[in-house]
Amino acid sequence: MAKEINKKIYKKLIEFAKKQTTISYSQLASECDIPYTSIDERNEFHHLLGNISIFEVKHNRPMPSALVHHLGDPERRPGKGFFILADELKQRKDNDDKTLLYRQMKKCWKVW
């Protein structure tokens, strides 16, 4: 069974990859007109981001969810779910979260 890919989120992620920049979870949700207030809404939004990354890795592309981070984080780190999913998708080449994140970000910027 195919996982749901939210086209609005997908399009925004590609836009940010082309600009070689990042966006916070709440800003991305707002730009995509997706509620992001309750824990259930946030969990659903993060699930949609994960589905996009799963789709991209299956097509030999990087995880665009690497471009989404916690608001106000100067290091622009995504949540723990990103790193768990990266491990499940066998995207980690070493044990360093920071290296994994920046490698994925750079790949996104290169691909798109």
Side-chain angles (χ1 to χ4, degrees):
M1 185 171 156
K3 301 232 181 199
E4 176 187 350
I5 301 298
N6 182 296
K7 290 180 175 129
K8 216 176 214 186
I9 296 172
Y10 185 84
K11 184 178 176 184
K12 282 289 179 187
L13 288 172
I14 302 310
E15 278 180 34
F16 280 89
K18 287 179 179 179
K19 293 178 188 176
Q20 297 190 354
T21 191
T22 63
I23 186 169
S24 75
Y25 291 108
S26 58
Q27 290 166 325
L28 179 59
S30 176
E31 287 193 23
C32 294
D33 300 316
I34 296 173
Y36 194 76
T37 305
S38 74
I39 190 72
D40 289 338
E41 290 168 344
R42 283 180 260 156
N43 287 338
E44 177 60 23
F45 182 72
H46 296 173
H47 181 75
L48 294 172
L49 284 172
N51 287 346
I52 292 168
S53 283
I54 292 167
F55 174 83
E56 289 302 305
V57 168
K58 283 183 179 178
H59 290 90
N60 298 311
R61 292 184 292 260
M63 300 173 67
S65 57
L67 304 177
V68 191
H69 58 85
H70 292 293
L71 184 65
D73 184 337
E75 293 187 26
R76 298 184 285 184
R77 288 178 300 224
K80 289 191 289 187
F82 169 82
F83 299 101
I84 293 167
L85 182 59
D87 288 339
E88 289 173 7
L89 298 173
K90 300 185 182 350
Q91 297 301 296
R92 187 186 299 270
K93 297 199 185 330
D94 54 43
N95 217 14
D96 182 34
D97 285 353
K98 199 172 199 176
T99 302
L100 166 67
L101 174 60
Y102 290 116
R103 189 173 2 90
Q104 286 292 318
M105 288 170 66
K106 286 179 184 180
K107 285 181 180 181
C108 286
W109 295 339
K110 183 177 180 182
V111 168
W112 291 288

CSV table of all heavy atoms in Angstrom, one decimal, residues 2-32:
chain,number,residue,atom,x,y,z
A,2,ALA,N,0.6,2.2,-0.9
A,2,ALA,CA,1.4,3.4,-1.0
A,2,ALA,C,1.1,4.3,0.1
A,2,ALA,O,0.0,4.4,0.6
A,2,ALA,CB,1.1,4.1,-2.3
A,3,LYS,N,2.1,5.0,0.6
A,3,LYS,CA,1.9,6.0,1.7
A,3,LYS,C,1.5,7.3,1.1
A,3,LYS,O,1.8,7.6,0.0
A,3,LYS,CB,3.3,6.2,2.4
A,3,LYS,CG,3.8,5.0,3.0
A,3,LYS,CD,4.1,5.1,4.4
A,3,LYS,CE,4.7,3.9,5.0
A,3,LYS,NZ,4.7,3.8,6.3
A,4,GLU,N,0.7,8.0,1.9
A,4,GLU,CA,0.1,9.3,1.4
A,4,GLU,C,1.2,10.4,1.3
A,4,GLU,O,2.0,10.6,2.2
A,4,GLU,CB,-0.9,9.8,2.4
A,4,GLU,CG,-1.5,11.1,2.2
A,4,GLU,CD,-2.4,11.6,3.3
A,4,GLU,OE1,-2.7,10.8,4.2
A,4,GLU,OE2,-2.8,12.8,3.2
A,5,ILE,N,1.3,11.0,0.2
A,5,ILE,CA,2.2,12.1,0.0
A,5,ILE,C,1.4,13.4,-0.2
A,5,ILE,O,0.6,13.5,-1.1
A,5,ILE,CB,3.1,11.9,-1.3
A,5,ILE,CG1,3.9,10.6,-1.3
A,5,ILE,CG2,4.0,13.1,-1.6
A,5,ILE,CD1,4.9,10.5,-0.2
A,6,ASN,N,1.6,14.3,0.8
A,6,ASN,CA,0.9,15.6,0.7
A,6,ASN,C,1.7,16.5,-0.3
A,6,ASN,O,2.8,16.9,-0.1
A,6,ASN,CB,0.9,16.2,2.1
A,6,ASN,CG,0.2,17.5,2.1
A,6,ASN,OD1,0.6,18.5,1.5
A,6,ASN,ND2,-0.9,17.5,2.9
A,7,LYS,N,1.0,16.7,-1.4
A,7,LYS,CA,1.6,17.5,-2.5
A,7,LYS,C,1.9,18.9,-2.1
A,7,LYS,O,2.9,19.5,-2.6
A,7,LYS,CB,0.7,17.5,-3.7
A,7,LYS,CG,0.6,16.1,-4.3
A,7,LYS,CD,-0.3,16.0,-5.5
A,7,LYS,CE,-0.1,14.6,-6.1
A,7,LYS,NZ,-1.4,14.0,-6.4
A,8,LYS,N,1.2,19.5,-1.3
A,8,LYS,CA,1.4,20.9,-0.8
A,8,LYS,C,2.7,21.0,0.0
A,8,LYS,O,3.6,21.8,-0.3
A,8,LYS,CB,0.3,21.4,0.0
A,8,LYS,CG,-0.1,22.9,-0.2
A,8,LYS,CD,-1.3,23.2,0.7
A,8,LYS,CE,-2.1,24.2,0.0
A,8,LYS,NZ,-3.2,24.7,0.7
A,9,ILE,N,2.9,20.0,0.9
A,9,ILE,CA,4.1,20.0,1.7
A,9,ILE,C,5.3,19.7,0.8
A,9,ILE,O,6.4,20.3,0.9
A,9,ILE,CB,4.0,19.0,2.8
A,9,ILE,CG1,2.9,19.3,3.8
A,9,ILE,CG2,5.4,18.8,3.5
A,9,ILE,CD1,2.6,18.3,4.9
A,10,TYR,N,5.1,18.7,-0.1
A,10,TYR,CA,6.2,18.3,-1.0
A,10,TYR,C,6.7,19.4,-1.8
A,10,TYR,O,7.9,19.7,-1.9
A,10,TYR,CB,5.7,17.1,-1.9
A,10,TYR,CG,6.7,16.5,-2.8
A,10,TYR,CD1,7.6,15.5,-2.3
A,10,TYR,CD2,6.9,17.0,-4.1
A,10,TYR,CE1,8.5,15.0,-3.1
A,10,TYR,CE2,7.8,16.4,-4.9
A,10,TYR,CZ,8.7,15.4,-4.4
A,10,TYR,OH,9.6,14.9,-5.2
A,11,LYS,N,5.8,20.2,-2.4
A,11,LYS,CA,6.1,21.3,-3.3
A,11,LYS,C,6.9,22.4,-2.5
A,11,LYS,O,7.9,22.9,-2.9
A,11,LYS,CB,4.8,21.9,-3.8
A,11,LYS,CG,5.1,23.1,-4.8
A,11,LYS,CD,3.8,23.6,-5.4
A,11,LYS,CE,4.1,24.8,-6.2
A,11,LYS,NZ,2.8,25.4,-6.8
A,12,LYS,N,6.5,22.6,-1.2
A,12,LYS,CA,7.2,23.6,-0.4
A,12,LYS,C,8.6,23.1,-0.1
A,12,LYS,O,9.5,23.9,-0.1
A,12,LYS,CB,6.4,23.9,0.9
A,12,LYS,CG,5.2,24.8,0.7
A,12,LYS,CD,5.7,26.2,0.5
A,12,LYS,CE,4.5,27.2,0.3
A,12,LYS,NZ,5.0,28.5,-0.1
A,13,LEU,N,8.7,21.9,0.3
A,13,LEU,CA,10.0,21.3,0.6
A,13,LEU,C,11.0,21.5,-0.6
A,13,LEU,O,12.1,21.9,-0.4
A,13,LEU,CB,9.9,19.9,1.0
A,13,LEU,CG,9.3,19.6,2.3
A,13,LEU,CD1,9.1,18.1,2.5
A,13,LEU,CD2,10.2,20.2,3.5
A,14,ILE,N,10.5,21.2,-1.8
A,14,ILE,CA,11.3,21.4,-3.0
A,14,ILE,C,11.7,22.8,-3.2
A,14,ILE,O,12.8,23.2,-3.6
A,14,ILE,CB,10.6,20.8,-4.2
A,14,ILE,CG1,10.3,19.3,-4.0
A,14,ILE,CG2,11.5,21.0,-5.5
A,14,ILE,CD1,11.4,18.4,-3.5
A,15,GLU,N,10.7,23.7,-3.0
A,15,GLU,CA,11.0,25.2,-3.1
A,15,GLU,C,12.2,25.6,-2.1
A,15,GLU,O,13.1,26.3,-2.5
A,15,GLU,CB,9.8,26.0,-2.7
A,15,GLU,CG,8.8,26.2,-3.7
A,15,GLU,CD,7.6,27.0,-3.2
A,15,GLU,OE1,7.8,27.9,-2.4
A,15,GLU,OE2,6.4,26.7,-3.6
A,16,PHE,N,12.1,25.1,-0.9
A,16,PHE,CA,13.2,25.4,0.1
A,16,PHE,C,14.5,24.8,-0.3
A,16,PHE,O,15.6,25.4,-0.1
A,16,PHE,CB,12.8,25.1,1.5
A,16,PHE,CG,11.9,26.2,2.0
A,16,PHE,CD1,10.5,26.1,1.8
A,16,PHE,CD2,12.4,27.3,2.7
A,16,PHE,CE1,9.7,27.1,2.3
A,16,PHE,CE2,11.6,28.3,3.1
A,16,PHE,CZ,10.2,28.2,2.9
A,17,ALA,N,14.5,23.6,-0.9
A,17,ALA,CA,15.7,22.9,-1.3
A,17,ALA,C,16.3,23.8,-2.5
A,17,ALA,O,17.5,24.0,-2.5
A,17,ALA,CB,15.4,21.5,-1.8
A,18,LYS,N,15.5,24.2,-3.4
A,18,LYS,CA,16.0,25.0,-4.5
A,18,LYS,C,16.6,26.4,-4.0
A,18,LYS,O,17.6,26.9,-4.6
A,18,LYS,CB,14.9,25.3,-5.5
A,18,LYS,CG,14.5,24.1,-6.3
A,18,LYS,CD,13.4,24.4,-7.3
A,18,LYS,CE,13.1,23.2,-8.1
A,18,LYS,NZ,12.0,23.5,-9.1
A,19,LYS,N,16.0,26.9,-2.9
A,19,LYS,CA,16.6,28.1,-2.3
A,19,LYS,C,17.8,27.9,-1.4
A,19,LYS,O,18.4,28.8,-0.9
A,19,LYS,CB,15.5,28.8,-1.5
A,19,LYS,CG,14.3,29.4,-2.3
A,19,LYS,CD,13.3,30.0,-1.3
A,19,LYS,CE,12.0,30.3,-2.0
A,19,LYS,NZ,11.0,30.8,-1.0
A,20,GLN,N,18.1,26.6,-1.2
A,20,GLN,CA,19.1,26.2,-0.3
A,20,GLN,C,19.0,26.8,1.1
A,20,GLN,O,19.9,27.4,1.6
A,20,GLN,CB,20.5,26.5,-0.9
A,20,GLN,CG,20.7,25.7,-2.2
A,20,GLN,CD,22.2,25.8,-2.7
A,20,GLN,OE1,23.0,26.5,-2.2
A,20,GLN,NE2,22.4,25.1,-3.8
A,21,THR,N,17.8,26.6,1.6
A,21,THR,CA,17.5,27.1,3.0
A,21,THR,C,16.6,26.1,3.7
A,21,THR,O,16.4,25.0,3.2
A,21,THR,CB,16.9,28.5,2.9
A,21,THR,OG1,16.8,29.0,4.2
A,21,THR,CG2,15.5,28.4,2.3
A,22,THR,N,16.2,26.4,4.9
A,22,THR,CA,15.4,25.6,5.7
A,22,THR,C,14.2,26.3,6.2
A,22,THR,O,14.1,27.6,6.0
A,22,THR,CB,16.2,25.1,7.0
A,22,THR,OG1,16.6,26.2,7.8
A,22,THR,CG2,17.5,24.3,6.5
A,23,ILE,N,13.3,25.6,6.9
A,23,ILE,CA,12.1,26.2,7.4
A,23,ILE,C,11.7,25.5,8.7
A,23,ILE,O,12.0,24.3,8.8
A,23,ILE,CB,10.9,26.2,6.4
A,23,ILE,CG1,9.7,27.0,6.9
A,23,ILE,CG2,10.6,24.8,6.0
A,23,ILE,CD1,8.6,27.2,5.8
A,24,SER,N,11.0,26.2,9.6
A,24,SER,CA,10.6,25.5,10.8
A,24,SER,C,9.3,24.7,10.6
A,24,SER,O,8.6,25.0,9.6
A,24,SER,CB,10.3,26.5,12.0
A,24,SER,OG,9.1,27.2,11.7
A,25,TYR,N,9.1,23.7,11.5
A,25,TYR,CA,7.9,22.9,11.3
A,25,TYR,C,6.6,23.8,11.3
A,25,TYR,O,5.8,23.7,10.4
A,25,TYR,CB,7.7,21.9,12.5
A,25,TYR,CG,8.8,20.8,12.5
A,25,TYR,CD1,9.8,20.8,13.4
A,25,TYR,CD2,8.7,19.8,11.6
A,25,TYR,CE1,10.7,19.8,13.5
A,25,TYR,CE2,9.6,18.7,11.6
A,25,TYR,CZ,10.6,18.8,12.6
A,25,TYR,OH,11.6,17.8,12.6
A,26,SER,N,6.5,24.7,12.3
A,26,SER,CA,5.3,25.5,12.4
A,26,SER,C,5.1,26.4,11.2
A,26,SER,O,4.0,26.7,10.7
A,26,SER,CB,5.3,26.3,13.7
A,26,SER,OG,6.4,27.1,13.8
A,27,GLN,N,6.2,27.0,10.7
A,27,GLN,CA,6.1,27.9,9.5
A,27,GLN,C,5.7,27.1,8.3
A,27,GLN,O,4.9,27.5,7.5
A,27,GLN,CB,7.5,28.5,9.2
A,27,GLN,CG,7.8,29.6,10.3
A,27,GLN,CD,9.3,30.0,10.2
A,27,GLN,OE1,10.2,29.2,9.9
A,27,GLN,NE2,9.5,31.3,10.5
A,28,LEU,N,6.3,25.9,8.1
A,28,LEU,CA,5.9,25.0,7.0
A,28,LEU,C,4.4,24.6,7.0
A,28,LEU,O,3.7,24.7,6.0
A,28,LEU,CB,6.8,23.8,6.9
A,28,LEU,CG,6.5,22.8,5.7
A,28,LEU,CD1,6.6,23.5,4.4
A,28,LEU,CD2,7.4,21.6,5.8
A,29,ALA,N,4.0,24.2,8.2
A,29,ALA,CA,2.6,23.9,8.4
A,29,ALA,C,1.7,25.1,8.1
A,29,ALA,O,0.7,24.9,7.3
A,29,ALA,CB,2.3,23.4,9.8
A,30,SER,N,2.0,26.3,8.5
A,30,SER,CA,1.3,27.5,8.2
A,30,SER,C,1.2,27.8,6.7
A,30,SER,O,0.2,28.1,6.2
A,30,SER,CB,1.9,28.7,9.0
A,30,SER,OG,1.2,29.8,8.7
A,31,GLU,N,2.4,27.7,6.1
A,31,GLU,CA,2.4,27.9,4.6
A,31,GLU,C,1.6,26.9,3.8
A,31,GLU,O,1.2,27.2,2.7
A,31,GLU,CB,3.9,28.0,4.1
A,31,GLU,CG,4.6,29.2,4.6
A,31,GLU,CD,5.9,29.4,3.9
A,31,GLU,OE1,6.1,28.9,2.8
A,31,GLU,OE2,6.8,30.2,4.5
A,32,CYS,N,1.4,25.8,4.4
A,32,CYS,CA,0.6,24.7,3.7
A,32,CYS,C,-0.8,24.6,4.2
A,32,CYS,O,-1.5,23.7,3.8
A,32,CYS,CB,1.3,23.4,3.9
A,32,CYS,SG,2.9,23.2,3.1
